Amino acid sequence: MDRQTLSKNLMWVAVILAVSFILFSFIRPQSEKIEEAPLSEVIVMAHNGNIASIEVKKNELHIITTSGDEIKSYKESDDNVRELLTAAGVKIEDGSLKLTVKPDESNIWNQLLLSLIPLLILGGILFYMFRGAKGAGNQVFSLGKSKARMFTGTKSMVSFTDVAGMDESKQELEEVVDFLKQPGKFLALGARIPRGVLLVGLPGTGKTLLAKAVAGEAGVPFFSISGSEFVEMFVGVGASRVRDLFEQAKRNAPAIIFIDEIDAVGRQRGTGLGGGHDEREQTLNQILVEMDGFESSTNVIVIAATNRADVLDPALLRPGRFDRQVTTDLPSINGRKAILEVHIKGKPLQKESDLDVMAKQTYGFSGADLANLLNEAAILSARRDKKEITLSELEEAFERIVAGPERKSFVISLKEKEITAYHEAGHALVAHMIPGTDPVHKVTIIARGAMGGYTMQLPLEDRRLVSRSDLRKKIAILLAGQVAESIQFNDMTTGSSNDIEMATSMVRKMVTEYGMSDKLGPRTFGHKQDMIVLGRDIASQRDYGDRVADEIDKEVAALIDKGHKTAYDILTKNRVKLSRIAEYLVAHEMVEGKELKKLFDEPASDVQIEEQPAS
Ligand code: ADP
Ligand code: ZN
């Protein structure tokens, strides 16, 4: 038994003693059985002269009758026996009845004890705390000690096979596993061990799972902590906790440190306006200091998770820190099937093919949602005394989750899926049809971060200079999403806001910064000022008159209109293709490579348009 458990046990002994003390002071030993009589009867007996003496002690009356019998009685605490007897006409003064009222000494003792006990307990606790504080790991006095949990032993660990799908992410992390397993191999060649990996993805897309799997695959301990834990703490505590966490990990190296929700501490540091959050900054600084302080041979890799990489302080993303990013996307149909297969293990399912049905239906579900779906279905089946999970429980579980509060932000109806499909098909088709643009590499309607879906173009060569015609094409492509929606559904949605914002700012820059407007000529408009107080924020000052402002607005509108018309022309003339791509996306959620080429190139009955005139 170490000191800590000893003092803990001592404390328990003290508490038990105190409690039994209290109990004993209430329960009196009852030596002999004495007859009891109600007070009213005692008074009647006294009135009749049958009582020799009454002894009052607290609320107990000890009575001796004239015939020598003992009787016991009780009174209410505010009853006064002398008054009661006098009122009943009993003469006490003449000595025929001897009344003695004993001072209530036991009561005094009780009170004394009762007031002492809390003091004793308090003393005990204080004693325990101070002893504990001298030792290690006391909760009250070691707020700064890391609460990071340590998982050792590889047996209980997650491995890559527990992570379904996500092949790309796993592949990227494979390297981290190698580093942890055989650092010597890399160090011998002078390679720098990666310090930090940032996992970026929506909640429930398996970031924690992946980090654990890396630790599991490498067979190293896993230390985890969440950024949000730091925020609610006293100033200075977060930093010391980070120090302890890293210390602990280094002592157990090779090891993985996992920082969940790093955005809670790693947001861009204050612009100086509105006051900063000291605790957050100190914690963040400490993380940076620790990561920079790793010696080249320290084999500790920090994996951090966030669903928003864009809000992170750029200092976190510098080389030697979290310079590797791995995205975890929401799973596509195949991914969802694979995740369902992982989680159905140990749950009897009536028909294997039901999982296909669910995989198709669960567009927009994260891995966590899918795990939850199967769990709900299992619970439903058990409540219905079924031996196996059937499609009806799966369907009901699906509906519960979709309607549930935790998914209010992400319920995707079939209609929305279709709209997103047309939107992305619009971007893709316009990008493909306008000559001289980067080839379309991949189109997906699986959400990534704030985007409902995305169309990925791969640049053929690295370009530093962007021409006016490139920008015009880009604007048409950006607007094509909304154009496709309105062509197909005769309506538009809020899903295009980001596209439109980007197109507008691009056009504005063309006119006011790049001098690309024929009407306004090669001039910059607006005098930019880097204001130090504002940090990154740039305040623009108007250095032109109202007439020019009008001109700028007109030019911006004209350029947007032109892009819009290009997109509209291409999409109306290729409606069959547009629908074909969109329908493919509804069914498969993603398209790339050969399939995409086929969709683009297979002749459709409608005519392709000519290249748009350049100006
Ligand atoms: P995040 O950290 O991204 O919020 P988690 O890693 O905590 O998400 O995932 C929550 C749960 O969802 C996991 O414990 C696991 O059960 C399930 N899950 C998520 N993605 C997958 C996947 N690719 N394969 C298997 N299970 C998954
Ligand atoms: Zn779009």
Side-chain angles (χ1 to χ4, degrees), residues 423-424 427 481 495 499:
H423 179 104
E424 292 307 324
H427 285 311
D499 295 340

Side-chain angles (χ1 to χ4, degrees), residues 158 160-166 170 199-212 258 260-261 305-307 328-329 331 335 338-340 342-343 366-372:
V158 183
F160 275 154
T161 48
D162 299 309
V163 186
M166 312 183 75
K170 279 196 264 185
L199 298 179
V200 186
L202 291 171
T205 46
K207 297 184 292 294
T208 314
L209 189 70
L210 265 177
K212 280 188 183 160
F258 179 65
D260 204 359
E261 301 178 69
T306 179
N307 56 351
T328 57
D329 286 332
I339 294 172
L340 286 171
V342 164
H343 287 276
S366 69
D369 294 326
L370 292 166
N372 188 19

Side-chain angles (χ1 to χ4, degrees), residues 236-531:
V237 174
S240 81
R241 213 176 249 198
V242 168
R243 212 175 304 126
D244 289 335
L245 173 72
F246 277 78
E247 220 169 76
Q248 212 177 328
K250 276 190 270 189
R251 236 182 287 132
N252 290 282
I256 291 274
I257 292 179
F258 179 65
I259 307 179
D260 204 359
E261 301 178 69
I262 191 152
D263 43 304
V265 286
R267 275 172 189 271
Q268 291 198 351
R269 275 172 286 191
T271 51
L273 296 177
H277 188 307
D278 272 352
E279 176 57 16
R280 232 180 49 194
E281 285 193 11
Q282 287 192 15
T283 310
L284 173 61
N285 284 339
Q286 192 62 37
I287 292 175
L288 297 179
V289 165
E290 293 289 346
M291 289 183 78
D292 292 345
F294 279 151
E295 281 151 36
S296 62
S297 57
T298 314
N299 203 357
V300 173
I301 295 181
V302 188
I303 300 183
T306 179
N307 56 351
R308 307 213 34 201
D310 55 318
V311 300
L312 290 183
D313 198 296
L316 271 172
L317 309 175
R318 265 186 225 137
R321 293 169 180 171
F322 294 99
D323 48 5
R324 287 167 191 239
Q325 282 197 24
V326 175
T327 5
T328 57
D329 286 332
L330 285 174
S332 62
I333 292 188
N334 293 337
R336 295 199 296 268
K337 173 90 190 299
I339 294 172
L340 286 171
E341 272 164 357
V342 164
H343 287 276
I344 199 70
K345 279 191 196 122
K347 298 186 181 75
L349 182 71
Q350 194 184 47
K351 267 209 331 274
E352 197 58 39
S353 62
D354 290 346
L355 287 191
D356 290 311
V357 179
M358 290 327 285
K360 282 215 184 77
Q361 204 172 324
T362 43
Y363 171 68
F365 271 46
S366 69
D369 294 326
L370 292 166
N372 188 19
L373 172 85
L374 290 183
N375 189 49
E376 285 275 332
I379 291 171
L380 278 172
S381 307
R383 285 229 305 267
R384 290 171 187 169
D385 294 323
K386 289 195 178 173
K387 293 268 179 297
E388 287 173 322
I389 300 171
T390 72
L391 192 58
S392 99
E393 281 84 36
L394 288 169
E395 294 277 6
E396 200 173 321
F398 171 79
E399 260 143 47
R400 275 192 194 187
I401 291 172
V402 168
E406 64 276 25
R407 293 189 50 79
K408 54 182 177 291
S409 60
F410 214 88
V411 178
I412 291 166
S413 62
L414 268 184
K415 181 74 186 170
E416 255 179 63
K417 189 178 181 183
E418 214 186 331
I419 292 171
T420 311
Y422 269 92
H423 179 104
E424 292 307 324
H427 285 311
L429 194 54
V430 169
H432 176 74
M433 289 292 182
I434 298 181
T437 56
D438 300 326
V440 180
H441 169 68
K442 178 176 171 180
V443 188
T444 164
I445 55 169
I446 298 285
R448 167 176 275 188
M451 286 188 284
Y454 59 91
T455 297
M456 209 159 109
Q457 283 177 273
L458 274 194
L460 285 181
E461 71 239 59
D462 276 343
R463 264 177 294 192
R464 276 189 307 131
L465 298 179
V466 185
S467 69
R468 176 160 78 173
S469 70
D470 289 337
L471 285 171
R472 285 186 173 155
K473 289 168 192 169
K474 277 214 169 77
I475 288 155
I477 295 168
L478 278 170
L479 297 175
Q482 193 188 46
V483 171
E485 284 180 38
S486 64
I487 289 176
Q488 182 64 22
F489 303 104
N490 212 358
D491 200 356
M492 33 185 99
T493 65
T494 52
S496 309
S497 63
N498 197 38
D499 295 340
I500 289 170
E501 194 184 315
M502 270 171 72
T504 311
S505 97
M506 222 178 250
V507 166
R508 200 156 254 291
K509 278 191 183 149
M510 284 172 75
V511 177
T512 63
E513 281 178 38
Y514 309 147
M516 287 179 177
S517 153
D518 290 332
K519 281 228 182 71
L520 289 151
R523 272 183 61 194
T524 55
F525 298 94
H527 168 67
K528 269 198 290 179
Q529 245 184 344
D530 281 310
M531 287 173 55

